[in-house]
Short mmCIF file of all heavy atoms in Angstrom, two decimals:
data_model
loop_
_atom_site.label_atom_id
_atom_site.label_comp_id
_atom_site.label_asym_id
_atom_site.label_seq_id
_atom_site.Cartn_x
_atom_site.Cartn_y
_atom_site.Cartn_z
N MET A 6 93.66 22.77 -121.83
CA MET A 6 92.97 22.15 -122.96
C MET A 6 93.38 20.69 -123.04
O MET A 6 94.53 20.34 -122.92
CB MET A 6 93.35 22.87 -124.25
CG MET A 6 92.71 22.24 -125.48
SD MET A 6 92.89 23.31 -126.90
CE MET A 6 91.81 22.43 -128.03
N LYS A 7 92.39 19.88 -123.25
CA LYS A 7 92.62 18.44 -123.29
C LYS A 7 92.39 17.93 -124.70
O LYS A 7 91.32 18.14 -125.27
CB LYS A 7 91.66 17.76 -122.32
CG LYS A 7 91.67 16.25 -122.38
CD LYS A 7 92.81 15.67 -121.58
CE LYS A 7 92.60 14.15 -121.45
NZ LYS A 7 93.83 13.49 -121.06
N ALA A 8 93.39 17.33 -125.28
CA ALA A 8 93.26 16.78 -126.62
C ALA A 8 93.20 15.27 -126.53
O ALA A 8 94.02 14.64 -125.87
CB ALA A 8 94.44 17.21 -127.48
N GLU A 9 92.22 14.72 -127.15
CA GLU A 9 92.09 13.27 -127.16
C GLU A 9 92.68 12.74 -128.46
O GLU A 9 92.17 13.01 -129.54
CB GLU A 9 90.61 12.87 -127.05
CG GLU A 9 89.95 13.28 -125.75
CD GLU A 9 90.44 12.45 -124.57
OE1 GLU A 9 91.03 11.39 -124.78
OE2 GLU A 9 90.21 12.89 -123.43
N LEU A 10 93.74 12.02 -128.35
CA LEU A 10 94.36 11.45 -129.53
C LEU A 10 94.05 9.95 -129.55
O LEU A 10 94.32 9.24 -128.59
CB LEU A 10 95.86 11.68 -129.53
CG LEU A 10 96.30 13.15 -129.58
CD1 LEU A 10 97.81 13.23 -129.61
CD2 LEU A 10 95.72 13.85 -130.79
N LYS A 11 93.52 9.54 -130.65
CA LYS A 11 93.21 8.11 -130.78
C LYS A 11 94.48 7.35 -131.15
O LYS A 11 95.44 7.90 -131.66
CB LYS A 11 92.16 7.92 -131.87
CG LYS A 11 90.81 8.54 -131.50
CD LYS A 11 89.77 8.24 -132.55
CE LYS A 11 89.94 9.08 -133.79
NZ LYS A 11 89.52 10.46 -133.63
N ASP A 12 94.42 6.08 -130.90
CA ASP A 12 95.47 5.16 -131.35
C ASP A 12 96.79 5.37 -130.61
O ASP A 12 97.81 4.89 -131.06
CB ASP A 12 95.73 5.29 -132.85
CG ASP A 12 94.45 5.06 -133.65
OD1 ASP A 12 93.63 4.24 -133.19
OD2 ASP A 12 94.30 5.69 -134.69
N ILE A 13 96.77 6.10 -129.52
CA ILE A 13 97.97 6.21 -128.71
C ILE A 13 97.85 5.20 -127.58
O ILE A 13 96.96 5.27 -126.77
CB ILE A 13 98.14 7.63 -128.13
CG1 ILE A 13 98.22 8.65 -129.26
CG2 ILE A 13 99.38 7.70 -127.26
CD1 ILE A 13 99.41 8.49 -130.17
N SER A 14 98.74 4.26 -127.57
CA SER A 14 98.68 3.20 -126.57
C SER A 14 100.05 2.95 -125.98
O SER A 14 101.06 3.01 -126.68
CB SER A 14 98.14 1.91 -127.19
OG SER A 14 98.28 0.84 -126.28
N ALA A 15 100.07 2.68 -124.70
CA ALA A 15 101.35 2.37 -124.06
C ALA A 15 101.65 0.88 -124.14
O ALA A 15 102.70 0.44 -123.71
CB ALA A 15 101.32 2.80 -122.60
N GLN A 16 100.74 0.15 -124.70
CA GLN A 16 100.90 -1.30 -124.71
C GLN A 16 102.15 -1.69 -125.48
O GLN A 16 102.33 -1.28 -126.64
CB GLN A 16 99.68 -1.94 -125.35
CG GLN A 16 99.56 -3.42 -125.01
CD GLN A 16 98.17 -3.95 -125.32
OE1 GLN A 16 97.48 -3.44 -126.17
NE2 GLN A 16 97.78 -5.00 -124.61
N GLY A 17 103.00 -2.44 -124.85
CA GLY A 17 104.19 -2.94 -125.53
C GLY A 17 105.38 -2.00 -125.45
O GLY A 17 106.48 -2.39 -125.83
N TRP A 18 105.18 -0.77 -124.96
CA TRP A 18 106.30 0.15 -124.87
C TRP A 18 107.06 -0.07 -123.58
O TRP A 18 106.45 -0.23 -122.53
CB TRP A 18 105.83 1.60 -124.93
CG TRP A 18 105.20 1.99 -126.23
CD1 TRP A 18 103.88 2.30 -126.42
CD2 TRP A 18 105.83 2.14 -127.50
NE1 TRP A 18 103.67 2.62 -127.74
CE2 TRP A 18 104.85 2.53 -128.44
CE3 TRP A 18 107.14 1.98 -127.94
CZ2 TRP A 18 105.14 2.76 -129.77
CZ3 TRP A 18 107.41 2.19 -129.28
CH2 TRP A 18 106.43 2.58 -130.18
N LEU A 19 108.36 -0.05 -123.66
CA LEU A 19 109.20 -0.14 -122.48
C LEU A 19 110.13 1.06 -122.45
O LEU A 19 110.62 1.51 -123.49
CB LEU A 19 110.05 -1.42 -122.50
CG LEU A 19 109.32 -2.76 -122.33
CD1 LEU A 19 110.33 -3.90 -122.44
CD2 LEU A 19 108.60 -2.84 -120.99
N CYS A 20 110.38 1.56 -121.24
CA CYS A 20 111.39 2.61 -121.10
C CYS A 20 112.75 2.01 -121.43
O CYS A 20 113.13 0.97 -120.90
CB CYS A 20 111.37 3.15 -119.67
SG CYS A 20 112.68 4.36 -119.36
N GLU A 21 113.47 2.68 -122.31
CA GLU A 21 114.77 2.14 -122.72
C GLU A 21 115.76 2.18 -121.57
O GLU A 21 116.72 1.43 -121.56
CB GLU A 21 115.31 2.95 -123.91
CG GLU A 21 114.48 2.74 -125.16
CD GLU A 21 115.10 3.46 -126.35
OE1 GLU A 21 116.23 3.95 -126.24
OE2 GLU A 21 114.42 3.54 -127.39
N THR A 22 115.57 3.09 -120.64
CA THR A 22 116.48 3.21 -119.51
C THR A 22 116.16 2.21 -118.41
O THR A 22 117.03 1.50 -117.92
CB THR A 22 116.43 4.64 -118.94
OG1 THR A 22 116.74 5.55 -119.99
CG2 THR A 22 117.45 4.81 -117.83
N CYS A 23 114.88 2.16 -118.03
CA CYS A 23 114.48 1.37 -116.87
C CYS A 23 113.97 -0.01 -117.26
O CYS A 23 113.83 -0.87 -116.40
CB CYS A 23 113.37 2.08 -116.09
SG CYS A 23 113.70 3.80 -115.73
N LYS A 24 113.65 -0.19 -118.53
CA LYS A 24 113.00 -1.43 -118.97
C LYS A 24 111.68 -1.64 -118.25
O LYS A 24 111.24 -2.76 -118.03
CB LYS A 24 113.91 -2.65 -118.75
CG LYS A 24 115.28 -2.50 -119.38
CD LYS A 24 115.20 -2.28 -120.88
CE LYS A 24 116.60 -2.16 -121.48
NZ LYS A 24 116.56 -1.70 -122.89
N ALA A 25 111.06 -0.54 -117.86
CA ALA A 25 109.78 -0.62 -117.18
C ALA A 25 108.67 -0.34 -118.19
O ALA A 25 108.85 0.46 -119.11
CB ALA A 25 109.71 0.42 -116.05
N PRO A 26 107.53 -1.03 -118.03
CA PRO A 26 106.42 -0.76 -118.94
C PRO A 26 105.92 0.66 -118.76
O PRO A 26 105.79 1.15 -117.63
CB PRO A 26 105.35 -1.79 -118.54
CG PRO A 26 105.85 -2.52 -117.36
CD PRO A 26 107.24 -2.07 -117.04
N LEU A 27 105.66 1.32 -119.86
CA LEU A 27 105.18 2.70 -119.81
C LEU A 27 103.70 2.73 -119.48
O LEU A 27 102.95 1.83 -119.83
CB LEU A 27 105.43 3.40 -121.14
CG LEU A 27 106.89 3.44 -121.61
CD1 LEU A 27 107.01 4.31 -122.86
CD2 LEU A 27 107.82 3.95 -120.54
N GLU A 28 103.29 3.78 -118.81
CA GLU A 28 101.89 4.00 -118.49
C GLU A 28 101.40 5.21 -119.27
O GLU A 28 102.13 6.19 -119.43
CB GLU A 28 101.71 4.26 -116.99
CG GLU A 28 102.16 3.09 -116.11
CD GLU A 28 102.05 3.43 -114.64
OE1 GLU A 28 101.71 4.59 -114.31
OE2 GLU A 28 102.30 2.53 -113.82
N VAL A 29 100.16 5.12 -119.73
CA VAL A 29 99.60 6.27 -120.43
C VAL A 29 99.10 7.27 -119.40
O VAL A 29 98.21 6.97 -118.60
CB VAL A 29 98.45 5.84 -121.36
CG1 VAL A 29 97.76 7.07 -121.94
CG2 VAL A 29 98.99 4.98 -122.49
N LEU A 30 99.74 8.42 -119.39
CA LEU A 30 99.42 9.46 -118.43
C LEU A 30 99.30 10.78 -119.16
O LEU A 30 99.91 10.98 -120.21
CB LEU A 30 100.52 9.57 -117.36
CG LEU A 30 100.72 8.33 -116.49
CD1 LEU A 30 102.01 8.45 -115.69
CD2 LEU A 30 99.53 8.15 -115.56
N PRO A 31 98.52 11.70 -118.62
CA PRO A 31 98.42 13.02 -119.25
C PRO A 31 99.77 13.72 -119.25
O PRO A 31 100.48 13.72 -118.27
CB PRO A 31 97.42 13.77 -118.37
CG PRO A 31 96.68 12.72 -117.62
CD PRO A 31 97.64 11.59 -117.45
N ALA A 32 100.11 14.30 -120.39
CA ALA A 32 101.36 15.03 -120.52
C ALA A 32 101.08 16.38 -121.19
O ALA A 32 100.25 16.47 -122.09
CB ALA A 32 102.37 14.23 -121.35
N ASP A 33 101.77 17.38 -120.71
CA ASP A 33 101.62 18.71 -121.32
C ASP A 33 102.60 18.84 -122.48
O ASP A 33 103.78 18.60 -122.34
CB ASP A 33 101.92 19.80 -120.28
CG ASP A 33 100.85 19.83 -119.19
OD1 ASP A 33 99.68 19.58 -119.51
OD2 ASP A 33 101.21 20.10 -118.04
N ILE A 34 102.09 19.21 -123.62
CA ILE A 34 102.95 19.46 -124.77
C ILE A 34 102.66 20.86 -125.29
O ILE A 34 101.58 21.41 -125.08
CB ILE A 34 102.74 18.43 -125.89
CG1 ILE A 34 101.30 18.49 -126.42
CG2 ILE A 34 103.08 17.03 -125.42
CD1 ILE A 34 101.12 17.71 -127.70
N LEU A 35 103.66 21.40 -125.97
CA LEU A 35 103.50 22.71 -126.58
C LEU A 35 103.57 22.52 -128.08
O LEU A 35 104.54 21.96 -128.60
CB LEU A 35 104.59 23.66 -126.10
CG LEU A 35 104.43 25.13 -126.49
CD1 LEU A 35 103.19 25.73 -125.83
CD2 LEU A 35 105.67 25.92 -126.05
N TYR A 36 102.56 22.96 -128.77
CA TYR A 36 102.51 22.74 -130.20
C TYR A 36 101.88 23.94 -130.87
O TYR A 36 100.78 24.35 -130.49
CB TYR A 36 101.71 21.47 -130.51
CG TYR A 36 101.70 21.11 -131.98
CD1 TYR A 36 102.86 20.70 -132.61
CD2 TYR A 36 100.53 21.19 -132.72
CE1 TYR A 36 102.86 20.37 -133.96
CE2 TYR A 36 100.52 20.87 -134.06
CZ TYR A 36 101.68 20.45 -134.68
OH TYR A 36 101.68 20.14 -135.99
N MET A 37 102.58 24.51 -131.82
CA MET A 37 102.08 25.65 -132.57
C MET A 37 101.61 26.77 -131.64
O MET A 37 100.58 27.40 -131.85
CB MET A 37 100.94 25.23 -133.50
CG MET A 37 101.44 24.33 -134.62
SD MET A 37 100.12 23.83 -135.77
CE MET A 37 99.78 25.39 -136.58
N GLY A 38 102.37 26.96 -130.58
CA GLY A 38 102.09 28.07 -129.68
C GLY A 38 100.99 27.83 -128.69
O GLY A 38 100.66 28.71 -127.91
N SER A 39 100.40 26.64 -128.72
CA SER A 39 99.35 26.31 -127.77
C SER A 39 99.78 25.11 -126.94
O SER A 39 100.46 24.22 -127.44
CB SER A 39 98.04 25.96 -128.49
OG SER A 39 97.58 27.08 -129.23
N SER A 40 99.40 25.13 -125.68
CA SER A 40 99.72 23.99 -124.85
C SER A 40 98.53 23.05 -124.80
O SER A 40 97.37 23.49 -124.75
CB SER A 40 100.11 24.43 -123.45
OG SER A 40 99.05 25.07 -122.81
N PHE A 41 98.82 21.79 -124.83
CA PHE A 41 97.80 20.77 -124.79
C PHE A 41 98.13 19.77 -123.71
O PHE A 41 99.29 19.57 -123.36
CB PHE A 41 97.74 20.00 -126.12
CG PHE A 41 97.27 20.83 -127.27
CD1 PHE A 41 98.17 21.56 -128.01
CD2 PHE A 41 95.94 20.86 -127.60
CE1 PHE A 41 97.75 22.32 -129.08
CE2 PHE A 41 95.50 21.62 -128.67
CZ PHE A 41 96.40 22.36 -129.41
N THR A 42 97.10 19.14 -123.22
CA THR A 42 97.30 17.97 -122.39
C THR A 42 96.86 16.76 -123.20
O THR A 42 95.72 16.68 -123.63
CB THR A 42 96.48 18.05 -121.10
OG1 THR A 42 96.87 19.21 -120.39
CG2 THR A 42 96.74 16.84 -120.22
N VAL A 43 97.78 15.88 -123.43
CA VAL A 43 97.46 14.67 -124.18
C VAL A 43 97.95 13.47 -123.38
O VAL A 43 98.88 13.57 -122.57
CB VAL A 43 98.10 14.65 -125.58
CG1 VAL A 43 97.56 15.77 -126.44
CG2 VAL A 43 99.61 14.73 -125.49
N ASP A 44 97.29 12.36 -123.60
CA ASP A 44 97.71 11.14 -122.94
C ASP A 44 98.84 10.51 -123.73
O ASP A 44 98.68 10.15 -124.89
CB ASP A 44 96.54 10.16 -122.85
CG ASP A 44 95.46 10.66 -121.90
OD1 ASP A 44 95.82 11.42 -120.98
OD2 ASP A 44 94.30 10.30 -122.08
N LEU A 45 100.00 10.41 -123.10
CA LEU A 45 101.16 9.82 -123.76
C LEU A 45 101.78 8.78 -122.84
O LEU A 45 101.70 8.89 -121.62
CB LEU A 45 102.20 10.90 -124.07
CG LEU A 45 101.83 11.92 -125.15
CD1 LEU A 45 102.91 12.96 -125.27
CD2 LEU A 45 101.60 11.24 -126.49
N PRO A 46 102.41 7.79 -123.44
CA PRO A 46 103.10 6.79 -122.63
C PRO A 46 104.25 7.42 -121.86
O PRO A 46 105.06 8.14 -122.44
CB PRO A 46 103.62 5.78 -123.67
CG PRO A 46 102.82 6.01 -124.90
CD PRO A 46 102.47 7.48 -124.87
N ARG A 47 104.28 7.17 -120.56
CA ARG A 47 105.34 7.73 -119.73
C ARG A 47 105.89 6.66 -118.80
O ARG A 47 105.15 5.82 -118.31
CB ARG A 47 104.81 8.91 -118.90
CG ARG A 47 105.92 9.60 -118.10
CD ARG A 47 105.36 10.61 -117.13
NE ARG A 47 104.51 11.59 -117.79
CZ ARG A 47 103.63 12.35 -117.16
NH1 ARG A 47 103.47 12.25 -115.86
NH2 ARG A 47 102.90 13.22 -117.82
N CYS A 48 107.18 6.74 -118.58
CA CYS A 48 107.80 5.81 -117.64
C CYS A 48 107.47 6.25 -116.22
O CYS A 48 107.73 7.39 -115.84
CB CYS A 48 109.31 5.81 -117.83
SG CYS A 48 110.16 4.79 -116.61
N PRO A 49 106.89 5.35 -115.42
CA PRO A 49 106.54 5.72 -114.04
C PRO A 49 107.75 5.87 -113.14
O PRO A 49 107.66 6.42 -112.05
CB PRO A 49 105.64 4.55 -113.58
CG PRO A 49 106.05 3.39 -114.43
CD PRO A 49 106.50 3.97 -115.75
N LYS A 50 108.89 5.37 -113.59
CA LYS A 50 110.09 5.43 -112.74
C LYS A 50 110.88 6.71 -112.96
O LYS A 50 111.22 7.41 -112.03
CB LYS A 50 110.98 4.21 -113.01
CG LYS A 50 110.40 2.91 -112.47
CD LYS A 50 111.43 1.79 -112.57
CE LYS A 50 110.87 0.49 -111.98
NZ LYS A 50 111.84 -0.61 -112.10
N CYS A 51 111.22 7.00 -114.23
CA CYS A 51 112.10 8.14 -114.47
C CYS A 51 111.34 9.33 -115.07
O CYS A 51 111.90 10.42 -115.21
CB CYS A 51 113.26 7.75 -115.38
SG CYS A 51 112.80 7.41 -117.09
N GLY A 52 110.07 9.13 -115.41
CA GLY A 52 109.29 10.24 -115.92
C GLY A 52 109.50 10.53 -117.39
O GLY A 52 108.97 11.51 -117.91
N TYR A 53 110.23 9.68 -118.06
CA TYR A 53 110.46 9.87 -119.49
C TYR A 53 109.14 9.75 -120.24
O TYR A 53 108.39 8.79 -120.06
CB TYR A 53 111.45 8.81 -119.98
CG TYR A 53 111.55 8.73 -121.48
CD1 TYR A 53 112.25 9.69 -122.19
CD2 TYR A 53 110.94 7.68 -122.18
CE1 TYR A 53 112.34 9.61 -123.58
CE2 TYR A 53 111.03 7.60 -123.56
CZ TYR A 53 111.72 8.57 -124.25
OH TYR A 53 111.81 8.49 -125.61
N THR A 54 108.84 10.74 -121.04
CA THR A 54 107.62 10.69 -121.85
C THR A 54 107.98 10.29 -123.26
O THR A 54 108.83 10.90 -123.91
CB THR A 54 106.93 12.07 -121.85
OG1 THR A 54 106.57 12.41 -120.52
CG2 THR A 54 105.67 12.03 -122.72
N PHE A 55 107.34 9.24 -123.71
CA PHE A 55 107.60 8.72 -125.04
C PHE A 55 106.66 9.37 -126.04
O PHE A 55 105.44 9.34 -125.86
CB PHE A 55 107.42 7.21 -125.04
CG PHE A 55 107.64 6.60 -126.40
CD1 PHE A 55 108.92 6.44 -126.89
CD2 PHE A 55 106.56 6.22 -127.19
CE1 PHE A 55 109.12 5.89 -128.16
CE2 PHE A 55 106.76 5.67 -128.45
CZ PHE A 55 108.04 5.50 -128.94
N ILE A 56 107.23 9.98 -127.07
CA ILE A 56 106.43 10.53 -128.16
C ILE A 56 106.39 9.49 -129.26
O ILE A 56 107.41 9.25 -129.91
CB ILE A 56 107.03 11.85 -128.69
CG1 ILE A 56 107.29 12.83 -127.56
CG2 ILE A 56 106.11 12.45 -129.75
CD1 ILE A 56 106.06 13.37 -126.89
N PRO A 57 105.26 8.87 -129.46
CA PRO A 57 105.20 7.85 -130.52
C PRO A 57 105.52 8.46 -131.88
O PRO A 57 105.15 9.61 -132.15
CB PRO A 57 103.74 7.37 -130.47
CG PRO A 57 103.25 7.76 -129.11
CD PRO A 57 104.00 9.01 -128.75
N PRO A 58 106.23 7.71 -132.72
CA PRO A 58 106.57 8.24 -134.05
C PRO A 58 105.35 8.70 -134.81
O PRO A 58 105.42 9.69 -135.55
CB PRO A 58 107.24 7.03 -134.74
CG PRO A 58 107.67 6.13 -133.65
CD PRO A 58 106.76 6.37 -132.49
N GLU A 59 104.23 8.00 -134.62
CA GLU A 59 103.02 8.41 -135.31
C GLU A 59 102.61 9.81 -134.91
O GLU A 59 102.14 10.60 -135.73
CB GLU A 59 101.85 7.46 -135.01
CG GLU A 59 102.19 6.00 -135.13
CD GLU A 59 102.63 5.43 -133.80
OE1 GLU A 59 103.82 5.56 -133.47
OE2 GLU A 59 101.79 4.86 -133.08
N LEU A 60 102.81 10.10 -133.63
CA LEU A 60 102.42 11.43 -133.14
C LEU A 60 103.36 12.48 -133.71
O LEU A 60 102.95 13.52 -134.19
CB LEU A 60 102.47 11.44 -131.61
CG LEU A 60 102.06 12.76 -130.97
CD1 LEU A 60 100.59 13.05 -131.25
CD2 LEU A 60 102.29 12.73 -129.47
N ALA A 61 104.64 12.18 -133.68
CA ALA A 61 105.62 13.14 -134.17
C ALA A 61 105.46 13.40 -135.66
O ALA A 61 105.68 14.50 -136.14
CB ALA A 61 107.03 12.64 -133.86
N GLU A 62 105.07 12.38 -136.39
CA GLU A 62 105.07 12.48 -137.84
C GLU A 62 103.71 12.80 -138.44
O GLU A 62 103.63 13.33 -139.54
CB GLU A 62 105.57 11.16 -138.45
CG GLU A 62 107.02 10.89 -138.10
CD GLU A 62 107.44 9.49 -138.52
OE1 GLU A 62 106.65 8.79 -139.16
OE2 GLU A 62 108.57 9.11 -138.17
N GLY A 63 102.65 12.44 -137.75
CA GLY A 63 101.37 12.62 -138.43
C GLY A 63 100.19 12.93 -137.54
O GLY A 63 99.30 13.67 -137.93
N LYS A 64 100.21 12.38 -136.34
CA LYS A 64 99.04 12.53 -135.51
C LYS A 64 98.82 13.96 -135.05
O LYS A 64 97.76 14.31 -134.57
CB LYS A 64 99.15 11.62 -134.27
CG LYS A 64 99.09 10.15 -134.61
CD LYS A 64 97.72 9.73 -135.11
CE LYS A 64 97.70 8.23 -135.33
NZ LYS A 64 96.43 7.76 -135.89
N MET A 65 99.87 14.76 -135.19
CA MET A 65 99.70 16.16 -134.81
C MET A 65 98.63 16.83 -135.66
O MET A 65 98.11 17.87 -135.29
CB MET A 65 101.02 16.91 -134.93
CG MET A 65 101.96 16.67 -133.75
SD MET A 65 101.23 17.14 -132.17
CE MET A 65 102.63 16.97 -131.08
N ARG A 66 98.32 16.23 -136.79
CA ARG A 66 97.22 16.77 -137.59
C ARG A 66 95.92 16.77 -136.79
O ARG A 66 95.09 17.64 -136.95
CB ARG A 66 97.03 15.93 -138.86
CG ARG A 66 98.10 16.22 -139.88
CD ARG A 66 97.70 15.69 -141.26
NE ARG A 66 98.89 15.26 -141.99
CZ ARG A 66 99.29 14.00 -142.09
NH1 ARG A 66 98.57 13.05 -141.54
NH2 ARG A 66 100.36 13.68 -142.75
N GLU A 67 95.77 15.77 -135.95
CA GLU A 67 94.58 15.74 -135.11
C GLU A 67 94.56 16.94 -134.18
O GLU A 67 93.52 17.54 -133.93
CB GLU A 67 94.53 14.45 -134.28
CG GLU A 67 94.33 13.22 -135.14
CD GLU A 67 94.14 11.97 -134.28
OE1 GLU A 67 93.69 12.09 -133.14
OE2 GLU A 67 94.43 10.87 -134.78
N VAL A 68 95.73 17.28 -133.65
CA VAL A 68 95.81 18.45 -132.78
C VAL A 68 95.49 19.71 -133.58
O VAL A 68 94.77 20.59 -133.12
CB VAL A 68 97.20 18.54 -132.13
CG1 VAL A 68 97.33 19.82 -131.32
CG2 VAL A 68 97.47 17.33 -131.26
N GLU A 69 96.00 19.77 -134.81
CA GLU A 69 95.71 20.93 -135.65
C GLU A 69 94.21 21.04 -135.91
O GLU A 69 93.65 22.14 -135.91
CB GLU A 69 96.46 20.80 -136.98
CG GLU A 69 97.96 20.96 -136.83
CD GLU A 69 98.66 20.82 -138.18
OE1 GLU A 69 98.07 21.20 -139.19
OE2 GLU A 69 99.79 20.32 -138.21
N GLN A 70 93.56 19.91 -136.10
CA GLN A 70 92.12 19.93 -136.32
C GLN A 70 91.40 20.44 -135.08
O GLN A 70 90.43 21.18 -135.17
CB GLN A 70 91.62 18.54 -136.71
CG GLN A 70 92.02 18.17 -138.13
CD GLN A 70 91.69 16.72 -138.48
OE1 GLN A 70 91.22 15.98 -137.62
NE2 GLN A 70 91.93 16.35 -139.71
N ILE A 71 91.87 20.01 -133.93
CA ILE A 71 91.27 20.48 -132.69
C ILE A 71 91.43 21.99 -132.58
O ILE A 71 90.52 22.71 -132.19
CB ILE A 71 91.92 19.75 -131.48
CG1 ILE A 71 91.52 18.28 -131.50
CG2 ILE A 71 91.48 20.40 -130.17
CD1 ILE A 71 92.36 17.41 -130.58
N LEU A 72 92.61 22.48 -132.98
CA LEU A 72 92.84 23.92 -132.95
C LEU A 72 91.87 24.64 -133.88
O LEU A 72 91.31 25.68 -133.55
CB LEU A 72 94.27 24.22 -133.39
CG LEU A 72 95.35 24.17 -132.32
CD1 LEU A 72 96.71 24.35 -132.98
CD2 LEU A 72 95.14 25.22 -131.27
N GLU A 73 91.68 24.07 -135.06
CA GLU A 73 90.83 24.73 -136.05
C GLU A 73 89.37 24.69 -135.65
O GLU A 73 88.59 25.55 -136.04
CB GLU A 73 91.01 24.05 -137.42
CG GLU A 73 92.38 24.34 -138.01
CD GLU A 73 92.67 23.43 -139.21
OE1 GLU A 73 91.79 22.64 -139.56
OE2 GLU A 73 93.76 23.57 -139.78
N ASP A 74 88.99 23.67 -134.88
CA ASP A 74 87.58 23.50 -134.52
C ASP A 74 87.11 24.48 -133.46
O ASP A 74 85.94 24.72 -133.31
CB ASP A 74 87.34 22.07 -134.01
CG ASP A 74 87.34 21.08 -135.15
OD1 ASP A 74 87.25 21.53 -136.30
OD2 ASP A 74 87.43 19.87 -134.89
N LYS A 75 88.05 25.05 -132.72
CA LYS A 75 87.61 25.88 -131.61
C LYS A 75 87.16 27.26 -132.06
O LYS A 75 87.42 27.65 -133.20
CB LYS A 75 88.72 25.97 -130.56
CG LYS A 75 89.88 26.85 -130.96
CD LYS A 75 90.88 26.93 -129.79
CE LYS A 75 92.06 27.81 -130.21
NZ LYS A 75 93.11 27.84 -129.19
ZN1 LIG B 203 112.36 5.05 -117.20
#
């Protein structure tokens, strides 16, 4: 399942370890018992996936809406 989350951008994000610019790549997440593929900023060097605070705190509502819509 592919979830499209708006307002997720890798622009300006740097990996704290590598200081490399993050790239927005599909990432598998598990939420409320369902797995989703969402585009999240990820470090191309170490593979660290950055969860934006907006996603952790509020944007998951969009995922919940997607769940409810199916
Ligand atoms: Zn890194």
Side-chain angles (χ1 to χ4, degrees):
M6 178 168 189
K7 173 82 169 163
E9 296 289 344
L10 297 182
K11 295 184 284 285
D12 303 327
I13 301 296
S14 171
Q16 198 165 26
W18 295 112
L19 291 177
C20 175
E21 292 185 10
T22 303
C23 311
K24 306 301 181 190
L27 302 187
E28 299 176 356
V29 173
L30 296 168
D33 292 325
I34 62 168
L35 189 65
Y36 184 68
M37 292 181 69
S39 298
S40 63
F41 293 88
T42 301
V43 297
D44 292 333
L45 291 176
R47 185 189 305 162
C48 175
K50 289 189 178 179
C51 70
Y53 168 76
T54 299
F55 178 77
I56 308 292
E59 313 93 275
L60 181 65
E62 295 172 6
K64 293 291 184 184
M65 281 301 188
R66 285 196 213 100
E67 293 186 26
V68 175
E69 290 180 33
Q70 287 172 357
I71 292 166
L72 274 174
E73 290 168 2
D74 285 346
K75 73 177 180 185

